[in-house]
Amino acid sequence: MTDVIVITRHLALLEYLAEAGLVPAGATCISHADAADVTGKHVIGVLPMRLAALAASVTEVPLDIPAELRGHELTLEQVRQYAGEPVRYVIRTEDRLVEEAVALAHRCDRITGTTECGDAVMASARAIIN
């Protein structure tokens, strides 16, 4: 199973995630992340694209916070009030997408004993990229 890491500076959001059952017991929580923290992990929080592309996936809990509360620490009740449905993203760089498509094509060819499946996977990957 992929490790889960929560990235937030907001204690109320962490409480909300636990309350909602989105954070498994023992999940790591940090306030700032780097590549080593997120690579291959399921991240709950917000990341810049360069880091999100390294993660297995990123789940965001969108907060529709009124302008007058932005920049302020929210209470758990406010997080409950402004939190939207969690959204999970899988982000890949073009190079990584190609690498994953090639690996899938080779796996498919080994299973089927042909190159037809692999050729179809590669054609699909090329179509997505172009």
Side-chain angles (χ1 to χ4, degrees), residues 90-111:
V90 176
I91 300 169
R92 299 290 180 260
T93 62
E94 186 174 299
D95 290 344
R96 187 166 169 198
L97 181 62
V98 169
E99 289 172 14
E100 290 177 1
V102 168
L104 180 61
H106 289 309
R107 183 176 174 203
C108 188
D109 287 344
R110 281 193 305 273
I111 291 169

Side-chain angles (χ1 to χ4, degrees), residues 6 38 40 45 47 54 57 59-60 67 71 74-75 84-85 89 107 112-113 116 123:
V6 178
V38 303
L47 289 175
L54 299 173
S57 66
T59 298
E60 173 197 17
L74 300 177
T75 66
E85 288 295 316
Y89 299 91
R107 183 176 174 203
T112 63
E116 291 176 25

